[in-house]
Amino acid sequence: MTSSATVIPVGTSYDVVVGHGVSDRVTDLLSGDVRQVLVVRPQSLARLAAPVVHRLREAGLTVHEAAVPDNEVAKTAQVAAGLWATLGQHAFTRSDAVVAVGGGTVTDLAGFVAATWLRGVAVVHVPTTLLAMVDAAVGGKTGINTAEGKNLVGSFHEPAGVLCDLDALATLPRPDLVAGLAEVVKAGFIADPRILELVEGDLDAATRADGPAMRELVERAIAMKAEVVAADLKESWLREILNYGHTLGHAVEQVEGYHRRHGEAVAIGMTFAAHLAHRAGHLTADAVERHRAILTSVGLPTTYEAGHWDTLATAMQRDKKTRGSVLRFIVLEDIGVPTRLVGPDEALLRAAYDDLCR
């Protein structure tokens, strides 16, 4: 390891390690019984995954690599079946493991495959994007997409550990880094206003991969999520707050065929949720404007094209938080004070959507 690391415990279940050069700790997170490892990575990340593969082989493990498509197109039953076939062909047992190297789509997919192979084998996540570090890799949620919606098929399967190597952030295209900031800012809105203050106080320091505030932002966002999921593994009320902006955000992703970045869709969803909260009498106009100002400042969208409400409303009916035909939204009473809005009137939803489209 090339620098000091911060270890953030997720209850008593596992640790998230944050720092520069920490991916070489991958073998520390595997039990001594592991003999084979399947490294799942996107096709485009062979070079970034190479040090992890080398470290595993150096430890005497048999390593098989599986390259999957980039982005959300990897999260299908067909790709998962291909990974199951690989595990079967190499006779993976319950004492073997999966290591996911990549963004949120890879951690979701590899986690799901690990959860379902022999009813559960160990998985270690090595997230390479900001979005995956602060969100997808932490919490034990796994899943794949179907034509009907995002992450509708999945399982809760906690990883053996997570390695957030901040060196990987320097490899991200600027739009991907910006998209990841949506989940960081979300953490600020729902639980840790200090995150918002860091962004507002020095935008450059907070939005560069090598910016002096980036590590603190990552650690704060992870610590917030770790505290929530440790108290609520399987998404009852407390864990639902992590879905702030996701009800409309997931609908936007589905309607647009998953061509829009997740963070961009969540930014749109958070702006919608802020307008909805304001119209429902929960949130002040100043707080709504703060949403728009912060998200816009980091380069995220806060408006949406008019004319798509009916399609989006249909997609939201398939959201995992929906109960029967009743939509449920996470909204804010104030910055850092989330609550649930259950079954809002259709007219209220349309009005908030109109606000979003202006």
Side-chain angles (χ1 to χ4, degrees):
M1 190 174 63
T2 60
S3 71
S4 62
T6 301
V7 178
I8 302 170
V10 183
T12 59
S13 300
Y14 60 96
D15 292 331
V16 181
V17 182
V18 183
H20 293 277
V22 299
S23 59
D24 65 1
R25 284 191 170 193
V26 61
T27 55
D28 296 344
L29 302 180
L30 297 172
S31 77
D33 295 331
V34 175
R35 295 291 177 266
Q36 294 191 94
V37 176
L38 177 66
V39 175
V40 182
R41 59 161 177 83
Q43 293 169 344
S44 61
L45 291 191
R47 290 183 62 185
L48 201 57
V52 174
V53 172
H54 175 74
R55 181 71 188 93
L56 292 166
R57 287 179 173 153
E58 189 178 54
L61 300 174
T62 300
V63 181
H64 309 279
E65 289 188 75
V68 299
D70 292 322
N71 303 318
E72 290 288 330
V73 293
K75 289 173 56 176
T76 66
Q78 291 77 13
V79 174
L83 296 176
W84 289 322
T86 299
L87 294 172
Q89 289 159 9
H90 295 291
F92 268 62
T93 70
R94 283 185 174 173
S95 61
D96 294 320
V98 174
V99 173
V101 182
T105 58
V106 170
T107 60
D108 281 355
L109 169 67
F112 177 66
V113 169
T116 49
W117 182 252
L118 301 178
R119 297 189 177 91
V121 298
V123 62
V124 170
H125 294 312
V126 187
T128 59
T129 66
L130 179 58
L131 183 72
M133 289 181 187
V134 302
D135 184 41
V138 180
K141 288 172 70 173
T142 76
I144 56 174
N145 304 330
T146 69
E148 289 71 33
K150 183 172 180 177
N151 295 333
L152 295 181
V153 177
S155 175
F156 289 97
H157 186 61
E158 292 185 306
V162 180
L163 297 172
C164 296
D165 194 330
L166 299 173
D167 290 342
L169 297 182
T171 70
L172 291 180
R174 180 66 184 175
D176 290 337
L177 184 70
V178 168
L181 286 167
E183 292 286 355
V184 175
V185 170
K186 180 201 75 177
F189 281 132
I190 63 175
D192 186 358
R194 176 59 183 157
I195 288 174
L196 307 181
E197 294 168 1
L198 287 168
V199 174
E200 292 167 321
D202 190 337
L203 184 63
D204 184 62
T207 58
R208 290 196 342 259
D210 61 348
M214 182 58 72
R215 179 165 179 164
E216 182 178 355
L217 288 171
V218 171
E219 291 177 356
R220 282 183 171 274
I222 292 172
M224 182 282 299
K225 184 166 186 180
E227 182 178 357
V228 170
V229 300
D232 178 11
L233 173 62
K234 297 195 174 180
E235 204 167 57
S236 60
W237 152 238
L238 180 59
R239 186 157 176 160
E240 275 193 38
I241 70 172
L242 299 174
N243 289 307
Y244 186 56
H246 285 59
T247 302
L248 184 73
H250 280 168
V252 167
E253 288 181 276
Q254 182 190 345
V255 167
E256 297 190 13
Y258 302 107
H259 296 303
R260 184 185 287 270
R261 289 175 176 84
H262 174 71
E264 295 170 350
V266 168
I268 292 168
M270 285 191 287
T271 308
F272 172 77
H275 283 296
L276 180 61
H278 176 59
R279 285 192 169 272
H282 291 283
L283 196 63
T284 67
D286 286 345
V288 176
E289 180 52 35
R290 194 178 185 193
H291 277 70
R292 284 192 178 271
I294 291 174
L295 292 169
T296 299
S297 73
V298 302
L300 289 163
T302 58
T303 60
Y304 199 67
E305 184 181 353
H308 298 285
W309 172 250
D310 290 340
T311 305
L312 291 169
T314 299
M316 284 193 292
Q317 288 291 341
R318 302 188 184 105
D319 185 82
K320 297 187 298 299
K321 294 179 297 302
T322 299
R323 301 294 186 267
S325 61
V326 179
L327 287 173
R328 305 195 306 179
F329 292 86
I330 299 302
V331 297
L332 301 183
E333 296 277 3
D334 197 357
I335 303 299
V337 186
T339 189
R340 185 195 289 145
L341 183 62
V342 179
D345 187 79
E346 171 71 13
L348 191 66
L349 293 170
R350 284 183 176 271
Y353 181 72
D354 291 340
D355 293 336
L356 177 69
C357 295
R358 293 189 181 122

